Amino acid sequence: MTTTEEIQTDLGRPAGLGPLGWLRWAWRLLTSMRTALILLFLFALASVPGSIYPQRSISPDRVAKYFKDSPGLAAWLDRLWLFDVFTSPWFAATYLLLFISLAGCVIPRAAAHLRELRRKPPAAPRNLSRLPQHASFASSEATVESLAALLRKKRFRTVTGPGWVAAEKGYLRETGNLLFHVALLALLLAVGAGGLYGYRGNVLLVEGNGFANTVAAYDRYIPGQRVSSDSLEPFSFTLSDFQATYVASGDRRGQPLDFSARLRVTDRPGARERPYDLRVNEPLEVNGTQTYLLGHGYAPTFKILDGKGQVAFEGPVPCLTADQTTYMSECVIKVPDAQPDQLGFLVRFLPTTVPAQDGSYVSIFPGAANPTAQVFAFSGDLGMNSGEPQSVYQLDTKKLKPLVMGFKTKPLAVGETLPLPGGAGSIQLTGVREWISLQIAYDPGRVPALVAAALAVLGLVLSLTVRRRRVWVRVTDGDGEARTVDVGGLTRTEGGAGFAEEFSQIVTALQGPEAGRPASPQGVKDAH
Amino acid sequence: MPTDVNSGLATLSDQLILATVLLYVFAMIAYALDLGFGRARKVTAAGEPVAVGAATAAVTAKAGAVQTLDRPGGAPGTGEDAGSERAGDGTLPGEGARDAGPAAAAPPAWAARAGTVAVALSWLGWAANLGAIITRGAAVGRWPWGNMYEFVVAICFAAMTAFLVMQARQPVRFLGAFVSVAAALGLGFAVRYLHVQAGPVVPALNSYWIAIHVTAAICASGLFIVAGVSGVLFLSRGDGPSRLPGRAELEQVAHRAIVIAFPIWTFAVIAGALWADKAWGRYWGWDPKEVWSFIAWIAYAAYLHARATAGWRGRAAMIVQLVAFGCLLFNLVGVNIFLSGLHSYAQVP
Ligand code: HEM
């Protein structure tokens, strides 16, 4: 909290006071401007490690890699919460202290400012020529009332006394300053409330499939502490089609240009379906819940027959993108129902396939211009009954017998079938679909946070641009007609340079039509 | 979304950038000559510029008002630049007194013109810089700040604009040599290390927010650079007489630039949050860029606070300002190079 008008609190230590005295002293220390400044610095400093070490909430995979690469160091960093900086106790401590310090500083000041707003400008000092700005001129008709009226026209607040006018202007500076700090408090509150009452989650959706907003439908769901699972907005949608466009030639070949996911959205059960074109930067909003397009990939569809000739699997298999520039993807198919032996497949999906010189096959473009799948087949025990959790993206090949291997076999084109050796069955690439990954988020704090931020900027601009200034006028009767008008000015704010001009304009205005007579704004000294 | 690149315009843009660098370097030389051999600044022992206002304003109250008005914001008495044009016309008695010092030996005739030439050269460079930005934008049919190269070029342009506008309104020509160096170095760095062929942007950047968020960041950065340059001069100049202006004046230039830049920066950060809300599904997520813009923001806020607090004025406040400037530069360049984040423009070739 600041301004020049800062009331510097005396931080002298209480000499031999009881516990109450110490408490009061601690409170004053905490809510002083110096402490607030130091806390603000600490807050900034505390966020630095968060930008240097990978954070669990942002990139868990990089944290895992850190643990793998240097386990000893990682364990220590983890003990200091350096992978969870923004939820760590010490970060929360700075945040809370700053919050208390701000509140303790702002609230009494707001009260003082309210009183100040009702107070009249102080009476004119005796000797106006001692003020940083001073001028005097002779006038025959100027009166205290007429001068005060002129000042009021310039939006000064005035008081008059015998032979003097006191005027003040620029109260908005302190108002702006308070607005800024109160808005900061509100911003912190809004962010906190958003975290408590909001939730976010991720889903992967294949073309043709649908999603309904329930906790069970999420692949990953992160609720705030105060969210109940039945408060989720009951909307649903189906992904009818996903389109990605890429630069087709030149040295940026393969760079994505546009992504667009066509959805059919039902806002609440029973409502009419509406189409929505979901894009990057254009989330779908249903009653404050936002759905974002995060990523995409391929989901080739397969039909797998087992050794008995029965259809053991049919449908799309979402693949992980192994290479972002060519969208070469890797997929795993587990067919536990295959008879007599379980079947497992590792698939490399190549969206635009060309043969490489060494006889292998590679993808050269992210779009699906010539999609093929290279299949590695296994039979045996998939190990799915062991009770250990398994990733759908990994095949545990310990108890499996390889059936088909080799990078150099010609990959399957759409419609082609690969018979498995030994009558174990067959696998057919039946088509290519795409999947999209979505983030769905509900954050009730986002609009209040925006309003608070906007108010903070408004307050900031006011407190930086408005200048608090006072002008006093004394009218002295001289001999005969002529009176002497003394004008003095004072700005209480840093950077008072511009006030000199304003002051001379005010003097000119006070002189009225008589201007042009010799007058001397003496010592137009700069106040600072 | 247009994918064709007009390669003629793109090449023109690259050539204009080279012309800009040359012009800035020439301007820098001319400014340096002006600073070194032109009319010396007269500075009192205390380092405060001599006040001319007292005497000049004595003409009439009205004239006084007008006279100070045409240098808005310029504290009376800080005027030196204006003096070099007006000296000798006898209407400003204050000027006569200023020539009394030993440093006031008449400068050679060519040196008197160096300042004017410098300003002309930097306006030319500015125009070439602007031309380079416009042709680049026209070549690719989008806002021309879609990658590090374009972003740095735009910041140098903003810094030069901030300086030129300021010097048209206030006597701050002395800054010219230093701002030109900074801009020329920035452009040189961009051309040498960051240059990429003109081309379309990735979908994340294809949004009207680029016009709001990035433009604000660029404007604020340009002003912060002017403030940073004044800060460096402030610290490198002693308290004694010097060809550089007094410390109070340098401080004022820095303060004025920051007072304008700070709300713009705040706005840029908020606009970034609004964009992040649209693009990444959260308005604040402690991405490295977010962390460092926040840190730079706090550091500049601390400067404004420090200046308002007694005991921190002058040197200490200036050091806080330069720390803030360091954070800003790290955010603009360092974060993109050393820390990985979501800002997808940040790929450095
Ligand atoms: C204030 C320091 C910042 C600077 C200098 C900065 C600069 C930029 C630049 C140059 C771009 C890329 C536009 C382009 O290349 O055409 C960008 C994009 C973006 N910025 Fe910032 N930014 C800053 C802070 C932030 C903050 C604090 C946020 C969010 C809270 C944010 C959110 C975004 C978003 C969402 C995008 C577009 C998406 C993307 O690049 O992938 N920025 N910013």
Side-chain angles (χ1 to χ4, degrees), chain A residues 176 179-181 183-184 187 451-461, chain B residues 266 270:
Chain A
L179 179 64
F180 173 69
H181 288 86
L184 271 195
L187 184 62
V451 172
L455 289 178
V457 177
L458 178 69
L460 190 67
V461 169
Chain B
T266 316
I270 292 177

Side-chain angles (χ1 to χ4, degrees), chain B residues 145-147 151 204-205 210 213-214 217 265 269 272-273 275-276 279-280 283-284 289-290 293 331-332 342-345:
Chain B
W145 23 85
N147 51 50
F151 183 61
L205 296 181
I210 202 168
H213 166 67
V214 188
W265 182 256
V269 172
W275 191 359
W280 302 330
Y283 56 87
W284 197 269
K289 196 81 171 186
E290 293 168 358
S293 17
N331 187 31
L332 296 182
L342 286 168
H343 267 79
S344 52
Y345 79 97

Side-chain angles (χ1 to χ4, degrees), chain A residues 370-373 410-417 428-431:
Chain A
N370 178 23
T372 62
K410 188 172 176 305
L412 291 182
V414 176
E416 284 181 352
T417 308
Q428 183 186 17
L429 175 64
T430 52

Side-chain angles (χ1 to χ4, degrees), chain B residues 17-317:
Chain B
I17 282 294
L18 296 182
T20 311
V21 175
L22 280 181
L23 284 166
Y24 284 169
V25 170
F26 289 146
M28 184 264 294
I29 296 172
Y31 280 120
L33 289 177
D34 178 47
L35 198 62
F37 300 101
R39 179 172 296 270
R41 312 182 61 84
K42 180 110 173 354
V43 169
T44 61
E48 293 290 335
V50 172
V52 285
T56 54
V59 183
T60 59
K62 212 164 198 160
V66 173
Q67 194 255 325
T68 39
L69 254 190
D70 62 10
R71 318 174 181 170
T78 57
E80 152 58 30
D81 182 14
S84 52
E85 273 103 36
R86 289 196 214 150
D89 63 6
T91 53
L92 300 176
E95 298 293 345
R98 319 184 75 207
D99 286 348
W110 59 266
R113 247 172 281 131
T116 323
V117 172
V119 173
L121 280 173
S122 45
W123 274 112
L124 270 181
W126 178 87
N129 202 343
L130 177 65
I133 293 175
I134 292 177
T135 45
R136 178 98 175 181
V140 289
R142 59 170 168 79
W143 285 85
W145 23 85
N147 51 50
M148 267 296 266
Y149 168 73
E150 293 168 356
F151 183 61
V152 172
V153 167
I155 287 190
C156 293
F157 175 73
M160 208 58 189
T161 312
F163 162 70
L164 285 171
V165 169
M166 243 187 204
Q167 75 90 36
R169 308 180 44 169
Q170 284 166 243
V172 293
R173 195 193 278 165
F174 62 88
L175 276 177
F178 307 95
V179 175
S180 317
V181 171
L185 285 179
L187 289 178
F189 177 76
V191 170
R192 176 70 187 76
Y193 296 105
L194 304 174
H195 185 264
V196 286
Q197 289 302 326
V201 289
V202 296
L205 296 181
N206 189 7
S207 158
Y208 59 89
W209 279 107
I210 202 168
I212 304 170
H213 166 67
V214 188
T215 310
I218 289 171
C219 293
S221 308
L223 283 159
F224 281 138
I225 288 177
V226 172
V229 166
S230 316
V232 172
L233 292 181
F234 179 97
L235 290 187
S236 56
R237 155 192 216 301
D239 267 338
S242 156
R243 289 212 159 247
L244 289 174
R247 288 192 146 182
E249 207 173 325
L250 285 167
E251 192 180 16
Q252 212 173 46
V253 171
H255 182 247
R256 204 159 287 159
I258 291 174
V259 162
I260 302 171
F262 187 68
I264 304 180
W265 182 256
T266 316
F267 176 78
V269 172
I270 292 177
L274 283 169
W275 191 359
D277 186 52
K278 284 257 177 269
W280 302 330
R282 81 288 183 297
Y283 56 87
W284 197 269
W286 300 106
D287 173 72
K289 196 81 171 186
E290 293 168 358
V291 170
W292 280 93
S293 17
F294 169 72
I295 292 173
W297 187 86
I298 292 218
Y300 276 112
Y303 162 76
L304 291 173
H305 281 72
R307 225 182 99 97
T309 316
W312 274 81
R313 270 170 223 193
R315 213 181 137 73

Side-chain angles (χ1 to χ4, degrees), chain A residues 2 51 252 281 292 446 494, chain B residues 197 204 275 277 292 305 307:
Chain A
T2 52
S51 75
R252 285 177 192 245
N281 284 317
Y292 301 87
R446 51 199 275 281
E494 181 63 16
Chain B
Q197 289 302 326
W275 191 359
D277 186 52
W292 280 93
H305 281 72
R307 225 182 99 97

